[in-house]
């Protein structure tokens, strides 16, 4: 069984999510059990290869930051919007 793990960006305390209750592609605010500080975390699923990766930030990232996160396959986690598509 694969366990999702990530660390508090403030103190490095490791969190485990064995049941994968964190929603994909959604930023959540979490309070660290160790240092009691809040931080943001998001488990992102690549739109191309399906790989999941968890990212953490000391503060909630801007909406512009999420579409720039890149997977190991070279694609972004969030599918780019094609502005050329018309009605």
């Amino acid at each position: 069984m694969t366990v999702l793990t990530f660390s508090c960006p403030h103190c490095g305390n490791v969190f485990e999510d064995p049941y994968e209750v964190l929603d994909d592609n959604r930023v959540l605010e979490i309070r660290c059990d160790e240092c009691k500080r809040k931080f943001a975390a998001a488990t992102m699923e690549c739109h191309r290869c399906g790989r999941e990766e968890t990212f953490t930030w000391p503060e909630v990232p801007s909406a512009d930051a999420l579409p720039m996160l890149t997977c190991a396959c070279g694609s972004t986690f969030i599918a780019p919007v094609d502005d050329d598509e018309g009605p």
Side-chain angles (χ1 to χ4, degrees):
M1 176 171 91
T2 302
V3 176
L4 177 67
T5 60
F6 55 96
S7 301
C8 171
H10 300 293
C11 72
N13 184 43
V14 176
F15 289 80
E16 291 185 353
D17 183 15
Y19 303 109
E20 296 190 25
V21 296
L22 295 178
D23 294 337
D24 286 345
N25 303 328
R26 183 171 165 223
V27 177
L28 301 173
E29 194 170 55
I30 299 171
R31 182 177 300 276
C32 178
D33 297 332
E34 189 69 27
C35 71
K36 308 299 185 217
R37 294 174 72 183
K38 289 183 180 179
F39 66 95
T43 298
M44 305 297 289
E45 182 177 355
C46 179
H47 77 276
R48 184 188 303 166
C49 73
R51 175 189 167 141
E52 286 186 331
E53 188 171 340
T54 301
F55 297 89
T56 60
W57 303 269
E59 298 176 0
V60 175
S62 71
D64 295 337
L66 295 181
M68 295 188 317
L69 296 173
T70 306
C71 179
C73 76
S75 180
T76 56
F77 283 92
I78 297 174
V81 176
D82 188 359
D83 292 333
D84 294 333
E85 286 186 25

XYZ file of all heavy atoms in Angstrom:
672
model
N 0.843 -1.182 0.000
C 0.000 0.000 0.000
C 0.884 1.241 0.000
O 1.802 1.360 0.793
C -0.906 0.003 1.232
C -1.742 1.257 1.346
S -3.002 1.188 2.637
C -2.100 1.863 4.001
N 0.628 2.167 -0.898
C 1.357 3.419 -0.968
C 0.705 4.427 -0.044
O -0.512 4.605 -0.061
C 1.344 3.971 -2.409
O 1.906 2.992 -3.268
C 2.146 5.234 -2.504
N 1.520 5.084 0.769
C 1.025 6.090 1.697
C 1.489 7.455 1.213
O 2.669 7.659 0.935
C 1.547 5.829 3.127
C 1.114 6.938 4.068
C 1.073 4.485 3.633
N 0.555 8.362 1.084
C 0.870 9.723 0.690
C 1.516 10.436 1.867
O 0.971 10.429 2.970
C -0.420 10.431 0.280
C -0.323 11.898 -0.106
C 0.472 12.047 -1.393
C -1.703 12.478 -0.277
N 2.706 10.991 1.668
C 3.385 11.729 2.733
C 3.783 13.107 2.228
O 4.058 13.295 1.036
C 4.646 10.998 3.234
O 5.560 10.840 2.156
C 4.312 9.656 3.831
N 3.798 14.060 3.146
C 4.253 15.410 2.846
C 4.713 16.048 4.142
O 4.403 15.548 5.230
C 3.167 16.244 2.152
C 1.868 16.320 2.909
C 1.592 17.399 3.731
C 0.920 15.319 2.787
C 0.393 17.477 4.423
C -0.281 15.383 3.463
C -0.549 16.468 4.299
N 5.482 17.122 4.037
C 6.073 17.756 5.215
C 5.595 19.178 5.387
O 5.356 19.897 4.408
C 7.598 17.772 5.100
O 8.094 16.475 4.987
N 5.531 19.607 6.643
C 5.223 21.004 6.952
C 6.379 21.858 6.428
O 7.542 21.580 6.724
C 5.075 21.171 8.462
S 4.961 22.897 9.001
N 6.089 22.903 5.646
C 7.170 23.742 5.116
C 7.811 24.631 6.183
O 8.865 25.206 5.943
C 6.467 24.583 4.045
C 5.040 24.625 4.475
C 4.780 23.320 5.166
N 7.211 24.707 7.365
C 7.763 25.529 8.440
C 8.757 24.760 9.303
O 9.834 25.253 9.602
C 6.639 26.076 9.334
C 5.659 26.920 8.608
N 5.965 28.152 8.066
C 4.351 26.703 8.316
C 4.893 28.662 7.488
N 3.896 27.802 7.624
N 8.385 23.530 9.716
C 9.228 22.788 10.666
C 9.694 21.426 10.154
O 10.524 20.781 10.773
C 8.490 22.614 11.993
S 7.105 21.435 11.941
N 9.130 20.942 9.029
C 9.540 19.668 8.466
C 8.805 18.460 9.023
O 9.100 17.332 8.642
N 7.859 18.669 9.926
C 7.078 17.571 10.476
C 6.405 16.806 9.335
O 5.822 17.403 8.438
C 6.026 18.107 11.451
C 5.236 17.014 12.126
O 5.782 16.004 12.547
N 3.934 17.218 12.227
N 6.502 15.476 9.362
C 5.971 14.655 8.281
C 4.532 14.244 8.585
O 4.218 13.805 9.691
C 6.843 13.395 8.077
C 6.247 12.485 7.015
C 8.268 13.800 7.698
N 3.672 14.401 7.587
C 2.282 13.987 7.667
C 2.089 12.788 6.756
O 2.693 12.708 5.696
C 1.354 15.114 7.173
C 1.276 16.275 8.102
C 2.272 17.233 8.120
C 0.206 16.418 8.962
C 2.201 18.320 8.975
C 0.124 17.495 9.818
C 1.125 18.443 9.824
N 1.242 11.878 7.155
C 0.894 10.729 6.324
C -0.602 10.736 6.065
O -1.389 11.047 6.950
C 1.289 9.415 7.013
C 2.768 9.215 7.110
C 3.139 7.860 7.673
O 2.246 7.112 8.112
O 4.341 7.552 7.677
N -0.975 10.407 4.851
C -2.380 10.321 4.453
C -2.594 8.941 3.829
O -2.701 8.810 2.612
C -2.713 11.445 3.460
C -4.173 11.467 3.053
O -5.007 10.810 3.718
O -4.485 12.126 2.044
N -2.647 7.879 4.664
C -2.742 6.525 4.120
C -4.044 6.256 3.371
O -4.098 5.396 2.507
C -2.623 5.627 5.361
C -3.041 6.486 6.490
C -2.641 7.891 6.113
N -5.079 6.985 3.692
C -6.373 6.767 3.042
C -6.629 7.765 1.915
O -7.691 7.775 1.324
C -7.497 6.832 4.077
C -7.283 5.835 5.182
C -6.921 6.257 6.450
C -7.384 4.466 4.945
C -6.709 5.344 7.473
C -7.157 3.548 5.957
C -6.819 3.992 7.215
O -6.583 3.093 8.222
N -5.629 8.615 1.640
C -5.704 9.617 0.573
C -7.009 10.402 0.633
O -7.788 10.438 -0.319
C -5.496 8.966 -0.792
C -4.117 8.367 -0.937
C -3.796 7.927 -2.351
O -4.379 8.467 -3.308
O -2.959 7.038 -2.498
N -7.222 11.058 1.785
C -8.433 11.852 1.969
C -8.293 13.267 1.414
O -9.282 13.979 1.292
C -8.872 11.909 3.453
C -9.247 10.531 3.949
C -7.794 12.517 4.323
N -7.062 13.668 1.061
C -6.880 14.984 0.449
C -7.420 14.945 -0.975
O -7.074 14.062 -1.749
C -5.398 15.381 0.421
C -4.724 15.588 1.777
C -3.259 15.917 1.574
C -5.402 16.691 2.555
N -8.264 15.902 -1.311
C -8.829 15.975 -2.663
C -7.749 16.352 -3.667
O -6.908 17.208 -3.392
C -9.945 17.019 -2.727
C -11.152 16.641 -1.902
O -11.337 15.443 -1.636
O -11.917 17.553 -1.532
N -7.773 15.732 -4.846
C -6.837 16.080 -5.909
C -7.157 17.461 -6.465
O -8.330 17.846 -6.591
C -6.909 15.060 -7.052
C -6.249 13.740 -6.697
O -5.505 13.686 -5.701
O -6.475 12.759 -7.423
N -6.083 18.181 -6.825
C -6.174 19.472 -7.514
C -6.932 20.528 -6.714
O -7.579 21.396 -7.274
C -6.804 19.298 -8.897
C -6.034 18.305 -9.740
O -4.817 18.182 -9.625
N -6.732 17.572 -10.577
N -6.825 20.443 -5.388
C -7.483 21.413 -4.523
C -6.522 21.799 -3.408
O -5.947 20.937 -2.747
C -8.746 20.803 -3.934
C -9.528 21.743 -3.097
C -10.879 21.149 -2.718
N -11.424 21.940 -1.641
C -12.004 21.446 -0.582
N -12.167 20.142 -0.467
N -12.451 22.221 0.359
N -6.347 23.099 -3.182
C -5.469 23.576 -2.124
C -6.235 23.570 -0.805
O -7.340 24.105 -0.716
C -4.943 24.996 -2.433
C -4.089 25.509 -1.287
C -4.153 25.012 -3.732
N -5.638 22.939 0.195
C -6.226 22.895 1.532
C -5.308 23.589 2.518
O -4.085 23.548 2.369
C -6.419 21.447 1.978
C -7.307 20.571 1.108
C -7.253 19.137 1.593
C -8.730 21.094 1.129
N -5.897 24.203 3.528
C -5.098 24.794 4.591
C -5.050 23.801 5.751
O -6.082 23.278 6.175
C -5.704 26.119 5.042
C -4.766 26.940 5.884
C -5.283 28.332 6.127
O -6.413 28.466 6.631
O -4.555 29.273 5.813
N -3.842 23.523 6.223
C -3.619 22.512 7.256
C -2.862 23.151 8.408
O -1.989 23.994 8.195
C -2.810 21.328 6.678
C -3.588 20.671 5.537
C -2.454 20.315 7.762
C -2.806 19.644 4.774
N -3.183 22.745 9.627
C -2.424 23.195 10.801
C -1.499 22.056 11.228
O -1.931 20.930 11.430
C -3.341 23.570 11.953
C -2.569 24.098 13.171
C -3.466 24.541 14.298
N -4.370 25.601 13.924
C -4.083 26.903 13.922
N -2.879 27.293 14.265
N -4.982 27.791 13.577
N -0.223 22.386 11.360
C 0.787 21.393 11.735
C 0.597 20.981 13.196
O 0.437 21.839 14.074
C 2.183 21.973 11.527
S 3.515 20.857 12.020
N 0.631 19.690 13.444
C 0.512 19.156 14.803
C 1.725 19.524 15.653
O 1.618 19.634 16.869
C 0.383 17.635 14.783
C -0.876 17.164 14.080
O -1.870 17.905 14.065
O -0.854 16.042 13.530
N 2.864 19.702 15.012
C 4.113 19.940 15.730
C 4.323 21.417 16.069
O 4.456 21.778 17.222
C 5.288 19.416 14.902
C 6.606 19.411 15.626
C 6.658 18.386 16.748
O 5.954 17.365 16.687
O 7.414 18.621 17.706
N 4.358 22.276 15.043
C 4.666 23.699 15.274
C 3.415 24.572 15.389
O 3.513 25.753 15.712
C 5.580 24.241 14.184
S 4.811 24.454 12.553
N 2.250 24.002 15.118
C 0.940 24.679 15.225
C 0.731 25.797 14.209
O -0.214 26.553 14.301
C 0.718 25.245 16.646
C 0.924 24.258 17.764
C -0.017 23.096 17.678
C 0.132 22.185 18.893
N -0.010 20.801 18.589
N 1.599 25.902 13.221
C 1.435 26.924 12.184
C 0.620 26.365 11.033
O 0.650 25.173 10.750
C 2.803 27.387 11.689
C 3.577 28.111 12.779
C 4.973 28.438 12.361
N 4.975 29.517 11.376
C 6.066 29.966 10.785
N 7.242 29.452 11.069
N 5.988 30.934 9.895
N -0.104 27.237 10.357
C -0.891 26.831 9.193
C -0.017 26.838 7.948
O 0.918 27.645 7.831
C -2.070 27.780 8.975
C -3.146 27.646 10.016
C -4.301 28.566 9.686
C -5.408 28.447 10.721
N -6.523 29.369 10.412
N -0.335 25.933 7.024
C 0.324 25.908 5.725
C -0.664 25.375 4.702
O -1.724 24.853 5.045
C 1.618 25.077 5.752
C 1.429 23.601 6.001
C 1.349 22.712 4.939
C 1.361 23.095 7.286
C 1.199 21.353 5.153
C 1.223 21.738 7.519
C 1.141 20.869 6.454
N -0.327 25.534 3.442
C -1.192 25.070 2.351
C -0.598 23.806 1.746
O 0.620 23.656 1.661
C -1.319 26.150 1.291
N -1.481 22.889 1.346
C -1.050 21.644 0.697
C -2.033 21.301 -0.409
O -3.227 21.580 -0.301
C -0.971 20.506 1.699
N -1.510 20.712 -1.469
C -2.365 20.280 -2.578
C -1.776 19.023 -3.187
O -0.576 18.964 -3.468
C -2.476 21.360 -3.639
N -2.619 18.011 -3.375
C -2.226 16.823 -4.112
C -2.732 17.014 -5.530
O -3.929 17.146 -5.758
C -2.835 15.555 -3.487
O -2.341 15.434 -2.160
C -2.446 14.318 -4.278
N -1.795 17.086 -6.453
C -2.138 17.364 -7.843
C -2.011 16.084 -8.662
O -1.096 15.288 -8.449
C -1.204 18.429 -8.413
C -1.158 19.725 -7.599
S -2.735 20.584 -7.538
C -2.835 21.178 -9.208
N -2.939 15.881 -9.580
C -2.892 14.736 -10.494
C -2.633 15.260 -11.896
O -3.355 16.125 -12.397
C -4.197 13.945 -10.470
C -4.149 12.726 -11.364
C -5.409 11.882 -11.307
O -6.298 12.180 -10.504
O -5.487 10.926 -12.098
N -1.590 14.728 -12.543
C -1.222 15.161 -13.887
C -2.342 14.822 -14.868
O -2.837 13.695 -14.890
C 0.071 14.475 -14.323
S 0.596 14.927 -15.996
N -2.708 15.795 -15.670
C -3.786 15.558 -16.647
C -3.328 14.650 -17.786
O -4.141 14.052 -18.460
C -4.329 16.882 -17.194
C -3.457 17.530 -18.223
N -2.382 18.328 -17.898
C -3.500 17.481 -19.560
C -1.806 18.750 -19.005
N -2.463 18.252 -20.034
N -2.005 14.506 -17.987
C -1.508 13.667 -19.072
C -1.213 12.234 -18.618
O -1.731 11.280 -19.191
C -0.241 14.246 -19.688
C 0.205 13.404 -20.893
C 1.559 13.770 -21.469
N 1.642 15.155 -21.868
C 2.795 15.755 -22.137
N 3.928 15.101 -22.037
N 2.820 17.015 -22.495
N -0.391 12.055 -17.578
C 0.049 10.699 -17.206
C -0.633 10.145 -15.953
O -0.495 8.967 -15.663
C 1.563 10.665 -17.028
S 2.162 11.491 -15.531
N -1.347 10.983 -15.214
C -2.063 10.518 -14.041
C -1.235 10.449 -12.762
O -1.750 10.090 -11.708
N 0.042 10.803 -12.831
C 0.894 10.786 -11.634
C 0.383 11.793 -10.615
O -0.052 12.890 -10.964
C 2.323 11.141 -12.031
C 3.253 11.274 -10.857
C 4.590 11.830 -11.280
N 5.331 12.228 -10.111
C 6.611 12.066 -9.964
N 7.320 11.536 -10.933
N 7.205 12.449 -8.874
N 0.442 11.422 -9.338
C 0.052 12.325 -8.264
C 1.288 12.797 -7.509
O 2.222 12.027 -7.293
C -0.884 11.638 -7.268
C -2.277 11.434 -7.775
C -3.189 10.886 -6.705
O -2.726 10.178 -5.798
O -4.390 11.161 -6.793
N 1.268 14.065 -7.118
C 2.347 14.638 -6.324
C 1.741 15.655 -5.366
O 0.813 16.374 -5.729
C 3.377 15.308 -7.231
C 4.611 15.751 -6.496
C 5.723 16.211 -7.428
O 5.700 15.852 -8.619
O 6.610 16.926 -6.948
N 2.267 15.692 -4.154
C 1.766 16.643 -3.164
C 2.750 17.792 -3.016
O 3.955 17.580 -2.887
C 1.538 15.953 -1.812
O 0.597 14.903 -2.002
C 0.981 16.928 -0.786
N 2.217 18.995 -3.038
C 2.999 20.214 -2.888
C 2.574 20.906 -1.603
O 1.406 20.837 -1.219
C 2.744 21.166 -4.069
C 3.178 20.603 -5.387
C 2.305 19.843 -6.144
C 4.459 20.825 -5.862
C 2.695 19.318 -7.372
C 4.858 20.298 -7.086
C 3.977 19.547 -7.843
N 3.520 21.567 -0.926
C 3.196 22.349 0.257
C 3.813 23.736 0.131
O 4.848 23.914 -0.532
C 3.717 21.684 1.548
O 5.135 21.545 1.478
C 3.064 20.330 1.780
N 3.156 24.702 0.756
C 3.603 26.090 0.758
C 3.372 26.674 2.144
O 2.409 26.300 2.821
C 2.811 26.927 -0.239
C 2.841 26.461 -1.650
C 3.725 26.836 -2.621
C 1.929 25.552 -2.291
N 3.426 26.201 -3.809
C 2.327 25.414 -3.634
C 0.813 24.833 -1.855
C 1.647 24.603 -4.532
C 0.142 24.019 -2.753
C 0.560 23.919 -4.070
N 4.204 27.626 2.560
C 3.988 28.276 3.857
C 2.660 29.042 3.907
O 2.055 29.179 4.958
C 5.161 29.235 4.001
C 6.192 28.735 3.051
C 5.460 28.049 1.944
N 2.224 29.529 2.753
C 0.958 30.257 2.638
C 0.217 29.752 1.401
O 0.811 29.142 0.522
C 1.217 31.755 2.494
C 1.924 32.358 3.691
C 2.250 33.823 3.491
O 1.935 34.382 2.417
O 2.839 34.405 4.408
N -1.065 30.037 1.321
C -1.860 29.630 0.163
C -1.273 30.293 -1.089
O -1.079 31.513 -1.112
C -3.345 30.025 0.341
C -4.144 29.715 -0.909
C -3.939 29.298 1.547
N -0.948 29.509 -2.119
C -0.372 30.081 -3.341
C -1.421 30.854 -4.137
O -2.627 30.634 -3.983
C 0.102 28.853 -4.117
C -0.810 27.766 -3.664
C -1.113 28.061 -2.222
N -0.951 31.728 -5.000
C -1.863 32.474 -5.860
C -2.506 31.521 -6.873
O -1.979 30.439 -7.160
C -1.110 33.576 -6.610
O -0.264 33.014 -7.591
N -3.622 31.918 -7.417
C -4.311 31.103 -8.420
C -3.441 30.916 -9.665
O -3.571 29.918 -10.367
C -5.641 31.749 -8.792
N -2.546 31.836 -9.931
C -1.656 31.742 -11.091
C -0.555 30.693 -10.894
O 0.016 30.212 -11.873
C -0.998 33.090 -11.377
C -2.000 34.145 -11.794
O -3.096 33.789 -12.278
O -1.697 35.346 -11.626
N -0.249 30.331 -9.657
C 0.854 29.408 -9.388
C 0.503 27.958 -9.728
O 1.349 27.217 -10.221
C 1.266 29.504 -7.921
N -0.721 27.531 -9.478
C -1.090 26.130 -9.694
C -0.955 25.665 -11.140
O -0.434 24.586 -11.380
C -2.498 25.865 -9.174
C -2.683 26.016 -7.669
C -4.115 25.713 -7.283
C -1.719 25.149 -6.906
N -1.393 26.438 -12.128
C -1.243 25.976 -13.514
C 0.209 25.871 -13.976
O 0.489 25.267 -14.997
C -1.991 27.035 -14.335
C -2.923 27.675 -13.380
C -2.228 27.625 -12.049
N 1.153 26.432 -13.207
C 2.562 26.378 -13.588
C 3.296 25.183 -12.989
O 4.437 24.910 -13.346
C 3.253 27.684 -13.187
C 2.700 28.874 -13.954
S 3.577 30.439 -13.759
C 3.917 30.552 -12.052
N 2.660 24.423 -12.076
C 3.302 23.246 -11.494
C 3.498 22.193 -12.575
O 2.575 21.870 -13.309
C 2.449 22.684 -10.357
C 2.272 23.582 -9.142
C 1.272 22.962 -8.174
C 3.596 23.856 -8.459
N 4.704 21.649 -12.660
C 5.044 20.727 -13.735
C 5.322 19.322 -13.209
O 6.032 19.141 -12.233
C 6.285 21.242 -14.497
O 6.031 22.580 -14.927
C 6.576 20.391 -15.708
N 4.781 18.338 -13.893
C 4.956 16.921 -13.586
C 6.305 16.437 -14.130
O 6.902 17.058 -15.010
C 3.805 16.134 -14.230
S 3.890 14.347 -13.972
N 6.758 15.286 -13.636
C 7.999 14.673 -14.132
C 7.908 14.329 -15.612
O 8.920 14.266 -16.307
C 8.323 13.426 -13.324
N 6.679 14.131 -16.154
C 6.518 13.801 -17.571
C 6.663 15.034 -18.462
O 6.661 14.916 -19.686
C 5.167 13.121 -17.821
S 3.742 14.233 -17.812
N 6.788 16.217 -17.832
C 6.970 17.443 -18.599
C 5.693 18.237 -18.806
O 5.729 19.362 -19.286
N 4.575 17.661 -18.468
C 3.291 18.341 -18.617
C 2.957 19.092 -17.333
O 3.513 18.811 -16.270
C 2.205 17.302 -18.907
O 0.958 17.934 -19.053
N 2.035 20.020 -17.425
C 1.542 20.676 -16.219
C 0.483 19.790 -15.583
O -0.127 18.961 -16.251
C 0.943 22.054 -16.543
O -0.075 21.898 -17.521
C 2.006 23.022 -17.033
N 0.280 19.956 -14.291
C -0.728 19.145 -13.612
C -2.134 19.541 -14.035
O -3.013 18.708 -14.161
C -0.575 19.251 -12.095
C 0.563 18.419 -11.583
C 1.833 18.956 -11.437
C 0.373 17.091 -11.271
C 2.883 18.189 -10.982
C 1.425 16.302 -10.823
C 2.681 16.858 -10.680
N -2.340 20.812 -14.250
C -3.640 21.304 -14.693
C -3.588 21.502 -16.197
O -2.668 22.128 -16.724
C -4.004 22.620 -13.980
C -4.122 22.351 -12.470
C -5.287 23.206 -14.531
C -4.336 23.583 -11.631
N -4.571 20.971 -16.901
C -4.599 21.088 -18.368
C -4.701 22.535 -18.777
O -5.501 23.299 -18.219
C -5.780 20.310 -18.942
N -3.855 22.956 -19.717
C -3.932 24.350 -20.183
C -5.251 24.604 -20.905
O -5.787 23.716 -21.558
C -2.726 24.486 -21.131
C -2.341 23.101 -21.485
C -2.836 22.194 -20.400
N -5.727 25.827 -20.753
C -6.951 26.220 -21.432
C -6.570 26.714 -22.814
O -5.691 27.548 -22.976
C -7.673 27.341 -20.651
C -8.896 27.815 -21.404
C -8.039 26.866 -19.266
N -7.221 26.164 -23.832
C -6.957 26.557 -25.219
C -7.838 27.744 -25.560
O -9.047 27.613 -25.727
C -7.230 25.395 -26.158
C -6.792 25.672 -27.584
O -6.279 26.798 -27.845
O -6.935 24.785 -28.431
N -7.225 28.942 -25.641
C -7.980 30.158 -25.918
C -8.500 30.225 -27.344
O -9.338 31.041 -27.661
C -7.106 31.393 -25.651
C -6.798 31.548 -24.168
O -7.601 31.080 -23.348
O -5.749 32.137 -23.827
N -7.977 29.361 -28.227
C -8.385 29.395 -29.625
C -9.711 28.673 -29.891
O -10.244 28.755 -30.973
C -7.295 28.793 -30.517
C -6.038 29.625 -30.511
O -6.146 30.845 -30.287
O -4.966 29.053 -30.736
N -10.193 27.925 -28.880
C -11.450 27.202 -29.101
C -12.604 28.193 -29.052
O -12.742 28.955 -28.112
C -11.650 26.134 -28.013
C -10.743 24.950 -28.200
C -11.055 23.847 -27.202
O -12.211 23.798 -26.722
O -10.157 23.058 -26.916
N -13.410 28.156 -30.035
C -14.556 29.057 -30.099
C -15.844 28.298 -29.943
O -15.840 27.072 -29.846
N -16.950 29.031 -29.918
C -18.250 28.359 -29.762
C -18.620 27.507 -30.957
O -18.166 27.592 -32.026
C -19.244 29.503 -29.592
C -18.517 30.776 -29.900
C -17.064 30.449 -30.002
